[in-house]
PDB file of all heavy atoms in Angstrom:
ATOM      1  N   PRO L 697     102.846 103.743  99.392  1.00  0.00           N
ATOM      2  CA  PRO L 697     101.483 104.257  99.364  1.00  0.00           C
ATOM      3  C   PRO L 697     101.016 104.734 100.688  1.00  0.00           C
ATOM      4  O   PRO L 697     101.389 104.152 101.780  1.00  0.00           O
ATOM      5  CB  PRO L 697     100.669 103.025  98.889  1.00  0.00           C
ATOM      6  CG  PRO L 697     101.684 102.174  98.185  1.00  0.00           C
ATOM      7  CD  PRO L 697     102.941 102.378  98.882  1.00  0.00           C
ATOM      8  N   GLY L 698     100.212 105.726 100.712  1.00  0.00           N
ATOM      9  CA  GLY L 698      99.763 106.280 101.959  1.00  0.00           C
ATOM     10  C   GLY L 698      98.766 105.455 102.742  1.00  0.00           C
ATOM     11  O   GLY L 698      98.177 104.489 102.193  1.00  0.00           O
ATOM     12  N   ASN L 699      98.667 105.774 103.980  1.00  0.00           N
ATOM     13  CA  ASN L 699      97.715 105.034 104.895  1.00  0.00           C
ATOM     14  C   ASN L 699      96.294 105.504 104.541  1.00  0.00           C
ATOM     15  O   ASN L 699      95.972 106.703 104.714  1.00  0.00           O
ATOM     16  CB  ASN L 699      97.989 105.330 106.373  1.00  0.00           C
ATOM     17  CG  ASN L 699      99.410 104.973 106.742  1.00  0.00           C
ATOM     18  OD1 ASN L 699      99.980 104.001 106.286  1.00  0.00           O
ATOM     19  ND2 ASN L 699     100.041 105.795 107.590  1.00  0.00           N
ATOM     20  N   SER L 700      95.457 104.632 104.135  1.00  0.00           N
ATOM     21  CA  SER L 700      94.113 104.960 103.710  1.00  0.00           C
ATOM     22  C   SER L 700      93.195 104.879 104.917  1.00  0.00           C
ATOM     23  O   SER L 700      93.430 104.206 105.882  1.00  0.00           O
ATOM     24  CB  SER L 700      93.571 104.032 102.608  1.00  0.00           C
ATOM     25  OG  SER L 700      93.362 102.757 103.131  1.00  0.00           O
ATOM     26  N   PRO L 701      92.058 105.617 104.889  1.00  0.00           N
ATOM     27  CA  PRO L 701      91.094 105.562 106.012  1.00  0.00           C
ATOM     28  C   PRO L 701      90.632 104.115 106.289  1.00  0.00           C
ATOM     29  O   PRO L 701      90.177 103.848 107.482  1.00  0.00           O
ATOM     30  CB  PRO L 701      89.907 106.412 105.486  1.00  0.00           C
ATOM     31  CG  PRO L 701      90.580 107.349 104.586  1.00  0.00           C
ATOM     32  CD  PRO L 701      91.648 106.599 103.864  1.00  0.00           C
ATOM     33  N   GLN L 702      90.665 103.225 105.332  1.00  0.00           N
ATOM     34  CA  GLN L 702      90.249 101.840 105.561  1.00  0.00           C
ATOM     35  C   GLN L 702      91.056 101.118 106.578  1.00  0.00           C
ATOM     36  O   GLN L 702      90.603 100.270 107.268  1.00  0.00           O
ATOM     37  CB  GLN L 702      90.288 101.083 104.191  1.00  0.00           C
ATOM     38  CG  GLN L 702      89.886  99.616 104.293  1.00  0.00           C
ATOM     39  CD  GLN L 702      90.075  98.925 103.002  1.00  0.00           C
ATOM     40  OE1 GLN L 702      90.622  99.455 102.012  1.00  0.00           O
ATOM     41  NE2 GLN L 702      89.537  97.695 102.932  1.00  0.00           N
ATOM     42  N   PHE L 703      92.357 101.591 106.736  1.00  0.00           N
ATOM     43  CA  PHE L 703      93.287 100.778 107.567  1.00  0.00           C
ATOM     44  C   PHE L 703      93.894 101.571 108.692  1.00  0.00           C
ATOM     45  O   PHE L 703      94.795 101.112 109.343  1.00  0.00           O
ATOM     46  CB  PHE L 703      94.398 100.160 106.670  1.00  0.00           C
ATOM     47  CG  PHE L 703      93.948  99.146 105.759  1.00  0.00           C
ATOM     48  CD1 PHE L 703      93.915  99.384 104.367  1.00  0.00           C
ATOM     49  CD2 PHE L 703      93.455  97.944 106.147  1.00  0.00           C
ATOM     50  CE1 PHE L 703      93.441  98.468 103.477  1.00  0.00           C
ATOM     51  CE2 PHE L 703      92.981  96.957 105.285  1.00  0.00           C
ATOM     52  CZ  PHE L 703      93.002  97.186 103.907  1.00  0.00           C
ATOM     53  N   ILE L 704      93.496 102.853 108.887  1.00  0.00           N
ATOM     54  CA  ILE L 704      94.013 103.614 109.979  1.00  0.00           C
ATOM     55  C   ILE L 704      93.234 103.243 111.264  1.00  0.00           C
ATOM     56  O   ILE L 704      92.187 102.658 111.249  1.00  0.00           O
ATOM     57  CB  ILE L 704      93.937 105.102 109.692  1.00  0.00           C
ATOM     58  CG1 ILE L 704      92.445 105.547 109.642  1.00  0.00           C
ATOM     59  CG2 ILE L 704      94.683 105.477 108.450  1.00  0.00           C
ATOM     60  CD1 ILE L 704      92.303 107.069 109.559  1.00  0.00           C
ATOM     61  N   GLY L 705      93.792 103.667 112.339  1.00  0.00           N
ATOM     62  CA  GLY L 705      93.164 103.413 113.623  1.00  0.00           C
ATOM     63  C   GLY L 705      94.167 103.469 114.779  1.00  0.00           C
ATOM     64  O   GLY L 705      95.362 103.670 114.600  1.00  0.00           O
ATOM     65  N   THR L 706      93.645 103.318 116.002  1.00  0.00           N
ATOM     66  CA  THR L 706      94.427 103.348 117.212  1.00  0.00           C
ATOM     67  C   THR L 706      94.256 102.042 117.927  1.00  0.00           C
ATOM     68  O   THR L 706      93.110 101.603 118.176  1.00  0.00           O
ATOM     69  CB  THR L 706      93.983 104.523 118.150  1.00  0.00           C
ATOM     70  OG1 THR L 706      94.174 105.758 117.434  1.00  0.00           O
ATOM     71  CG2 THR L 706      94.874 104.531 119.393  1.00  0.00           C
ATOM     72  N   PHE L 707      95.380 101.424 118.242  1.00  0.00           N
ATOM     73  CA  PHE L 707      95.342 100.119 118.956  1.00  0.00           C
ATOM     74  C   PHE L 707      95.860 100.376 120.351  1.00  0.00           C
ATOM     75  O   PHE L 707      96.968 100.877 120.565  1.00  0.00           O
ATOM     76  CB  PHE L 707      96.286  99.104 118.197  1.00  0.00           C
ATOM     77  CG  PHE L 707      95.813  98.836 116.805  1.00  0.00           C
ATOM     78  CD1 PHE L 707      96.048  99.725 115.782  1.00  0.00           C
ATOM     79  CD2 PHE L 707      95.130  97.700 116.508  1.00  0.00           C
ATOM     80  CE1 PHE L 707      95.643  99.446 114.486  1.00  0.00           C
ATOM     81  CE2 PHE L 707      94.706  97.390 115.208  1.00  0.00           C
ATOM     82  CZ  PHE L 707      94.965  98.287 114.197  1.00  0.00           C
ATOM     83  N   GLU L 708      95.002 100.039 121.337  1.00  0.00           N
ATOM     84  CA  GLU L 708      95.338 100.364 122.718  1.00  0.00           C
ATOM     85  C   GLU L 708      95.259  99.129 123.597  1.00  0.00           C
ATOM     86  O   GLU L 708      94.550  98.212 123.296  1.00  0.00           O
ATOM     87  CB  GLU L 708      94.344 101.436 123.274  1.00  0.00           C
ATOM     88  CG  GLU L 708      94.422 102.760 122.544  1.00  0.00           C
ATOM     89  CD  GLU L 708      93.451 103.734 123.149  1.00  0.00           C
ATOM     90  OE1 GLU L 708      92.342 103.323 123.545  1.00  0.00           O
ATOM     91  OE2 GLU L 708      93.738 104.948 123.158  1.00  0.00           O
ATOM     92  N   ARG L 709      95.991  99.251 124.735  1.00  0.00           N
ATOM     93  CA  ARG L 709      95.859  98.143 125.704  1.00  0.00           C
ATOM     94  C   ARG L 709      96.359  98.668 127.064  1.00  0.00           C
ATOM     95  O   ARG L 709      97.094  99.587 127.165  1.00  0.00           O
ATOM     96  CB  ARG L 709      96.535  96.929 125.316  1.00  0.00           C
ATOM     97  CG  ARG L 709      98.063  96.946 125.452  1.00  0.00           C
ATOM     98  CD  ARG L 709      98.632  95.525 125.400  1.00  0.00           C
ATOM     99  NE  ARG L 709     100.094  95.608 125.360  1.00  0.00           N
ATOM    100  CZ  ARG L 709     100.851  94.789 124.638  1.00  0.00           C
ATOM    101  NH1 ARG L 709     100.295  93.875 123.875  1.00  0.00           N
ATOM    102  NH2 ARG L 709     102.166  94.855 124.729  1.00  0.00           N
ATOM    103  N   GLU L 710      95.956  97.943 128.125  1.00  0.00           N
ATOM    104  CA  GLU L 710      96.454  98.196 129.481  1.00  0.00           C
ATOM    105  C   GLU L 710      97.043  96.915 130.012  1.00  0.00           C
ATOM    106  O   GLU L 710      96.632  95.790 129.607  1.00  0.00           O
ATOM    107  CB  GLU L 710      95.309  98.690 130.398  1.00  0.00           C
ATOM    108  CG  GLU L 710      94.753 100.050 129.940  1.00  0.00           C
ATOM    109  CD  GLU L 710      93.623 100.465 130.788  1.00  0.00           C
ATOM    110  OE1 GLU L 710      93.051  99.623 131.569  1.00  0.00           O
ATOM    111  OE2 GLU L 710      93.233 101.644 130.765  1.00  0.00           O
ATOM    112  N   SER L 711      97.933  97.045 130.923  1.00  0.00           N
ATOM    113  CA  SER L 711      98.569  95.860 131.574  1.00  0.00           C
ATOM    114  C   SER L 711      98.947  96.222 132.970  1.00  0.00           C
ATOM    115  O   SER L 711      99.102  97.425 133.329  1.00  0.00           O
ATOM    116  CB  SER L 711      99.744  95.352 130.766  1.00  0.00           C
ATOM    117  OG  SER L 711     100.793  96.335 130.737  1.00  0.00           O
ATOM    118  N   PHE L 712      99.086  95.205 133.848  1.00  0.00           N
ATOM    119  CA  PHE L 712      99.652  95.458 135.144  1.00  0.00           C
ATOM    120  C   PHE L 712     100.509  94.266 135.565  1.00  0.00           C
ATOM    121  O   PHE L 712     100.363  93.145 134.981  1.00  0.00           O
ATOM    122  CB  PHE L 712      98.566  95.800 136.170  1.00  0.00           C
ATOM    123  CG  PHE L 712      97.962  94.563 136.824  1.00  0.00           C
ATOM    124  CD1 PHE L 712      98.361  94.093 138.008  1.00  0.00           C
ATOM    125  CD2 PHE L 712      96.878  93.876 136.166  1.00  0.00           C
ATOM    126  CE1 PHE L 712      97.808  92.981 138.630  1.00  0.00           C
ATOM    127  CE2 PHE L 712      96.299  92.802 136.768  1.00  0.00           C
ATOM    128  CZ  PHE L 712      96.719  92.364 137.953  1.00  0.00           C
ATOM    129  N   GLY L 713     101.405  94.490 136.470  1.00  0.00           N
ATOM    130  CA  GLY L 713     102.238  93.443 136.921  1.00  0.00           C
ATOM    131  C   GLY L 713     102.667  93.631 138.385  1.00  0.00           C
ATOM    132  O   GLY L 713     102.706  94.740 138.894  1.00  0.00           O
ATOM    133  N   ILE L 714     102.932  92.535 139.083  1.00  0.00           N
ATOM    134  CA  ILE L 714     103.468  92.577 140.435  1.00  0.00           C
ATOM    135  C   ILE L 714     104.672  91.593 140.524  1.00  0.00           C
ATOM    136  O   ILE L 714     104.707  90.617 139.766  1.00  0.00           O
ATOM    137  CB  ILE L 714     102.379  92.244 141.473  1.00  0.00           C
ATOM    138  CG1 ILE L 714     101.779  90.874 141.188  1.00  0.00           C
ATOM    139  CG2 ILE L 714     101.338  93.354 141.603  1.00  0.00           C
ATOM    140  CD1 ILE L 714     100.821  90.419 142.281  1.00  0.00           C
ATOM    141  N   PHE L 715     105.633  91.948 141.338  1.00  0.00           N
ATOM    142  CA  PHE L 715     106.789  91.055 141.457  1.00  0.00           C
ATOM    143  C   PHE L 715     107.312  91.028 142.889  1.00  0.00           C
ATOM    144  O   PHE L 715     106.985  91.885 143.680  1.00  0.00           O
ATOM    145  CB  PHE L 715     107.901  91.604 140.527  1.00  0.00           C
ATOM    146  CG  PHE L 715     108.611  92.825 141.111  1.00  0.00           C
ATOM    147  CD1 PHE L 715     109.732  92.705 141.894  1.00  0.00           C
ATOM    148  CD2 PHE L 715     108.117  94.081 140.940  1.00  0.00           C
ATOM    149  CE1 PHE L 715     110.395  93.765 142.439  1.00  0.00           C
ATOM    150  CE2 PHE L 715     108.751  95.209 141.471  1.00  0.00           C
ATOM    151  CZ  PHE L 715     109.862  95.062 142.245  1.00  0.00           C
ATOM    152  N   GLY L 716     108.113  90.020 143.162  1.00  0.00           N
ATOM    153  CA  GLY L 716     108.821  89.942 144.403  1.00  0.00           C
ATOM    154  C   GLY L 716     110.158  89.316 144.183  1.00  0.00           C
ATOM    155  O   GLY L 716     110.309  88.359 143.319  1.00  0.00           O
ATOM    156  N   GLU L 717     111.172  89.759 144.894  1.00  0.00           N
ATOM    157  CA  GLU L 717     112.546  89.171 144.763  1.00  0.00           C
ATOM    158  C   GLU L 717     113.144  89.086 146.130  1.00  0.00           C
ATOM    159  O   GLU L 717     113.046  90.017 146.961  1.00  0.00           O
ATOM    160  CB  GLU L 717     113.446  90.037 143.883  1.00  0.00           C
ATOM    161  CG  GLU L 717     114.809  89.405 143.676  1.00  0.00           C
ATOM    162  CD  GLU L 717     115.912  90.463 143.342  1.00  0.00           C
ATOM    163  OE1 GLU L 717     115.560  91.666 143.293  1.00  0.00           O
ATOM    164  OE2 GLU L 717     117.015  90.091 143.194  1.00  0.00           O
ATOM    165  N   LEU L 718     113.855  87.977 146.389  1.00  0.00           N
ATOM    166  CA  LEU L 718     114.582  87.809 147.698  1.00  0.00           C
ATOM    167  C   LEU L 718     116.000  87.448 147.329  1.00  0.00           C
ATOM    168  O   LEU L 718     116.277  86.556 146.512  1.00  0.00           O
ATOM    169  CB  LEU L 718     113.926  86.686 148.465  1.00  0.00           C
ATOM    170  CG  LEU L 718     114.396  86.523 149.921  1.00  0.00           C
ATOM    171  CD1 LEU L 718     114.141  87.778 150.749  1.00  0.00           C
ATOM    172  CD2 LEU L 718     113.782  85.310 150.513  1.00  0.00           C
ATOM    173  N   SER L 719     116.949  88.170 147.934  1.00  0.00           N
ATOM    174  CA  SER L 719     118.339  87.909 147.695  1.00  0.00           C
ATOM    175  C   SER L 719     119.132  88.039 148.999  1.00  0.00           C
ATOM    176  O   SER L 719     118.779  88.826 149.926  1.00  0.00           O
ATOM    177  CB  SER L 719     118.940  88.894 146.656  1.00  0.00           C
ATOM    178  OG  SER L 719     118.809  90.256 147.120  1.00  0.00           O
ATOM    179  N   ALA L 720     120.175  87.250 149.102  1.00  0.00           N
ATOM    180  CA  ALA L 720     120.965  87.226 150.337  1.00  0.00           C
ATOM    181  C   ALA L 720     122.303  86.547 150.119  1.00  0.00           C
ATOM    182  O   ALA L 720     122.436  85.674 149.262  1.00  0.00           O
ATOM    183  CB  ALA L 720     120.198  86.548 151.502  1.00  0.00           C
ATOM    184  N   GLU L 721     123.230  86.973 150.993  1.00  0.00           N
ATOM    185  CA  GLU L 721     124.485  86.151 151.146  1.00  0.00           C
ATOM    186  C   GLU L 721     124.189  85.037 152.136  1.00  0.00           C
ATOM    187  O   GLU L 721     124.097  85.256 153.312  1.00  0.00           O
ATOM    188  CB  GLU L 721     125.592  87.046 151.730  1.00  0.00           C
ATOM    189  CG  GLU L 721     125.925  88.256 150.860  1.00  0.00           C
ATOM    190  CD  GLU L 721     126.819  87.960 149.674  1.00  0.00           C
ATOM    191  OE1 GLU L 721     127.274  86.768 149.593  1.00  0.00           O
ATOM    192  OE2 GLU L 721     127.093  88.875 148.887  1.00  0.00           O
ATOM    193  N   PHE L 722     124.025  83.781 151.606  1.00  0.00           N
ATOM    194  CA  PHE L 722     123.731  82.704 152.488  1.00  0.00           C
ATOM    195  C   PHE L 722     124.913  82.283 153.321  1.00  0.00           C
ATOM    196  O   PHE L 722     124.775  81.949 154.533  1.00  0.00           O
ATOM    197  CB  PHE L 722     123.251  81.521 151.675  1.00  0.00           C
ATOM    198  CG  PHE L 722     121.796  81.541 151.229  1.00  0.00           C
ATOM    199  CD1 PHE L 722     121.378  82.558 150.426  1.00  0.00           C
ATOM    200  CD2 PHE L 722     120.918  80.607 151.748  1.00  0.00           C
ATOM    201  CE1 PHE L 722     120.032  82.598 150.039  1.00  0.00           C
ATOM    202  CE2 PHE L 722     119.553  80.643 151.353  1.00  0.00           C
ATOM    203  CZ  PHE L 722     119.119  81.608 150.544  1.00  0.00           C
ATOM    204  N   THR L 723     126.103  82.391 152.766  1.00  0.00           N
ATOM    205  CA  THR L 723     127.361  82.228 153.489  1.00  0.00           C
ATOM    206  C   THR L 723     128.318  83.268 152.963  1.00  0.00           C
ATOM    207  O   THR L 723     127.973  84.066 152.098  1.00  0.00           O
ATOM    208  CB  THR L 723     127.943  80.813 153.252  1.00  0.00           C
ATOM    209  OG1 THR L 723     128.407  80.715 151.950  1.00  0.00           O
ATOM    210  CG2 THR L 723     126.893  79.695 153.491  1.00  0.00           C
ATOM    211  N   ASP L 724     129.542  83.261 153.542  1.00  0.00           N
ATOM    212  CA  ASP L 724     130.493  84.192 153.001  1.00  0.00           C
ATOM    213  C   ASP L 724     130.876  83.949 151.541  1.00  0.00           C
ATOM    214  O   ASP L 724     131.449  84.836 150.890  1.00  0.00           O
ATOM    215  CB  ASP L 724     131.732  84.150 153.884  1.00  0.00           C
ATOM    216  CG  ASP L 724     131.553  84.654 155.279  1.00  0.00           C
ATOM    217  OD1 ASP L 724     130.550  85.422 155.479  1.00  0.00           O
ATOM    218  OD2 ASP L 724     132.338  84.241 156.179  1.00  0.00           O
ATOM    219  N   LYS L 725     130.504  82.782 151.040  1.00  0.00           N
ATOM    220  CA  LYS L 725     130.921  82.410 149.676  1.00  0.00           C
ATOM    221  C   LYS L 725     129.743  82.296 148.727  1.00  0.00           C
ATOM    222  O   LYS L 725     129.873  82.294 147.492  1.00  0.00           O
ATOM    223  CB  LYS L 725     131.661  81.142 149.676  1.00  0.00           C
ATOM    224  CG  LYS L 725     132.997  81.155 150.415  1.00  0.00           C
ATOM    225  CD  LYS L 725     133.732  79.839 150.309  1.00  0.00           C
ATOM    226  CE  LYS L 725     135.143  79.898 150.943  1.00  0.00           C
ATOM    227  NZ  LYS L 725     135.992  80.873 150.234  1.00  0.00           N
ATOM    228  N   LEU L 726     128.463  82.189 149.240  1.00  0.00           N
ATOM    229  CA  LEU L 726     127.347  81.864 148.350  1.00  0.00           C
ATOM    230  C   LEU L 726     126.343  83.012 148.459  1.00  0.00           C
ATOM    231  O   LEU L 726     125.815  83.324 149.542  1.00  0.00           O
ATOM    232  CB  LEU L 726     126.665  80.592 148.847  1.00  0.00           C
ATOM    233  CG  LEU L 726     125.428  80.155 148.062  1.00  0.00           C
ATOM    234  CD1 LEU L 726     125.719  79.921 146.595  1.00  0.00           C
ATOM    235  CD2 LEU L 726     124.792  78.927 148.700  1.00  0.00           C
ATOM    236  N   PHE L 727     126.069  83.609 147.290  1.00  0.00           N
ATOM    237  CA  PHE L 727     125.015  84.591 147.164  1.00  0.00           C
ATOM    238  C   PHE L 727     123.897  84.024 146.282  1.00  0.00           C
ATOM    239  O   PHE L 727     124.174  83.373 145.247  1.00  0.00           O
ATOM    240  CB  PHE L 727     125.512  85.901 146.524  1.00  0.00           C
ATOM    241  CG  PHE L 727     124.451  86.838 146.079  1.00  0.00           C
ATOM    242  CD1 PHE L 727     123.823  87.634 147.018  1.00  0.00           C
ATOM    243  CD2 PHE L 727     124.005  86.902 144.762  1.00  0.00           C
ATOM    244  CE1 PHE L 727     122.778  88.493 146.626  1.00  0.00           C
ATOM    245  CE2 PHE L 727     122.989  87.794 144.379  1.00  0.00           C
ATOM    246  CZ  PHE L 727     122.416  88.599 145.357  1.00  0.00           C
ATOM    247  N   MET L 728     122.667  84.126 146.675  1.00  0.00           N
ATOM    248  CA  MET L 728     121.481  83.622 145.936  1.00  0.00           C
ATOM    249  C   MET L 728     120.413  84.716 145.798  1.00  0.00           C
ATOM    250  O   MET L 728     120.251  85.490 146.704  1.00  0.00           O
ATOM    251  CB  MET L 728     120.920  82.407 146.588  1.00  0.00           C
ATOM    252  CG  MET L 728     121.887  81.142 146.629  1.00  0.00           C
ATOM    253  SD  MET L 728     122.109  80.457 144.957  1.00  0.00           S
ATOM    254  CE  MET L 728     120.445  79.863 144.586  1.00  0.00           C
ATOM    255  N   GLN L 729     119.716  84.625 144.723  1.00  0.00           N
ATOM    256  CA  GLN L 729     118.562  85.490 144.594  1.00  0.00           C
ATOM    257  C   GLN L 729     117.477  84.753 143.790  1.00  0.00           C
ATOM    258  O   GLN L 729     117.790  83.880 142.922  1.00  0.00           O
ATOM    259  CB  GLN L 729     118.925  86.774 143.829  1.00  0.00           C
ATOM    260  CG  GLN L 729     119.358  86.613 142.415  1.00  0.00           C
ATOM    261  CD  GLN L 729     119.798  87.901 141.755  1.00  0.00           C
ATOM    262  OE1 GLN L 729     120.944  88.370 141.993  1.00  0.00           O
ATOM    263  NE2 GLN L 729     118.970  88.510 140.970  1.00  0.00           N
ATOM    264  N   GLY L 730     116.211  85.059 144.070  1.00  0.00           N
ATOM    265  CA  GLY L 730     115.128  84.463 143.378  1.00  0.00           C
ATOM    266  C   GLY L 730     114.073  85.479 143.124  1.00  0.00           C
ATOM    267  O   GLY L 730     113.819  86.365 143.980  1.00  0.00           O
ATOM    268  N   ALA L 731     113.354  85.464 141.989  1.00  0.00           N
ATOM    269  CA  ALA L 731     112.398  86.443 141.634  1.00  0.00           C
ATOM    270  C   ALA L 731     111.197  85.760 141.028  1.00  0.00           C
ATOM    271  O   ALA L 731     111.313  84.721 140.358  1.00  0.00           O
ATOM    272  CB  ALA L 731     112.928  87.500 140.701  1.00  0.00           C
ATOM    273  N   LEU L 732     110.029  86.326 141.274  1.00  0.00           N
ATOM    274  CA  LEU L 732     108.752  85.826 140.734  1.00  0.00           C
ATOM    275  C   LEU L 732     107.931  87.011 140.281  1.00  0.00           C
ATOM    276  O   LEU L 732     107.931  88.034 140.983  1.00  0.00           O
ATOM    277  CB  LEU L 732     107.996  85.033 141.830  1.00  0.00           C
ATOM    278  CG  LEU L 732     106.893  84.050 141.340  1.00  0.00           C
ATOM    279  CD1 LEU L 732     107.499  82.927 140.566  1.00  0.00           C
ATOM    280  CD2 LEU L 732     106.158  83.511 142.576  1.00  0.00           C
ATOM    281  N   ARG L 733     107.356  86.871 139.154  1.00  0.00           N
ATOM    282  CA  ARG L 733     106.602  88.035 138.563  1.00  0.00           C
ATOM    283  C   ARG L 733     105.312  87.487 137.935  1.00  0.00           C
ATOM    284  O   ARG L 733     105.214  86.501 137.272  1.00  0.00           O
ATOM    285  CB  ARG L 733     107.413  88.739 137.537  1.00  0.00           C
ATOM    286  CG  ARG L 733     106.690  89.855 136.867  1.00  0.00           C
ATOM    287  CD  ARG L 733     107.547  90.583 135.798  1.00  0.00           C
ATOM    288  NE  ARG L 733     107.166  91.976 135.817  1.00  0.00           N
ATOM    289  CZ  ARG L 733     107.713  92.898 136.607  1.00  0.00           C
ATOM    290  NH1 ARG L 733     108.621  92.538 137.478  1.00  0.00           N
ATOM    291  NH2 ARG L 733     107.308  94.137 136.526  1.00  0.00           N
ATOM    292  N   TYR L 734     104.217  88.259 138.189  1.00  0.00           N
ATOM    293  CA  TYR L 734     102.947  88.031 137.562  1.00  0.00           C
ATOM    294  C   TYR L 734     102.569  89.251 136.709  1.00  0.00           C
ATOM    295  O   TYR L 734     102.602  90.357 137.148  1.00  0.00           O
ATOM    296  CB  TYR L 734     101.873  87.865 138.624  1.00  0.00           C
ATOM    297  CG  TYR L 734     100.441  87.801 138.089  1.00  0.00           C
ATOM    298  CD1 TYR L 734      99.937  86.593 137.610  1.00  0.00           C
ATOM    299  CD2 TYR L 734      99.626  88.903 138.098  1.00  0.00           C
ATOM    300  CE1 TYR L 734      98.604  86.508 137.092  1.00  0.00           C
ATOM    301  CE2 TYR L 734      98.304  88.872 137.615  1.00  0.00           C
ATOM    302  CZ  TYR L 734      97.820  87.667 137.126  1.00  0.00           C
ATOM    303  OH  TYR L 734      96.576  87.625 136.583  1.00  0.00           O
TER     304      TYR L 734
END
Side-chain angles (χ1 to χ4, degrees):
N699 303 323
S700 72
Q702 180 184 8
F703 294 110
I704 64 171
T706 301
F707 298 79
E708 297 181 325
R709 76 164 173 219
E710 296 177 345
S711 63
F712 85 96
I714 55 174
F715 77 92
E717 183 207 1
L718 189 64
S719 61
E721 301 278 357
F722 277 65
T723 70
D724 291 339
K725 295 182 177 296
L726 177 63
F727 169 79
M728 293 291 295
Q729 66 185 80
L732 198 64
R733 177 178 213 87
Y734 172 83

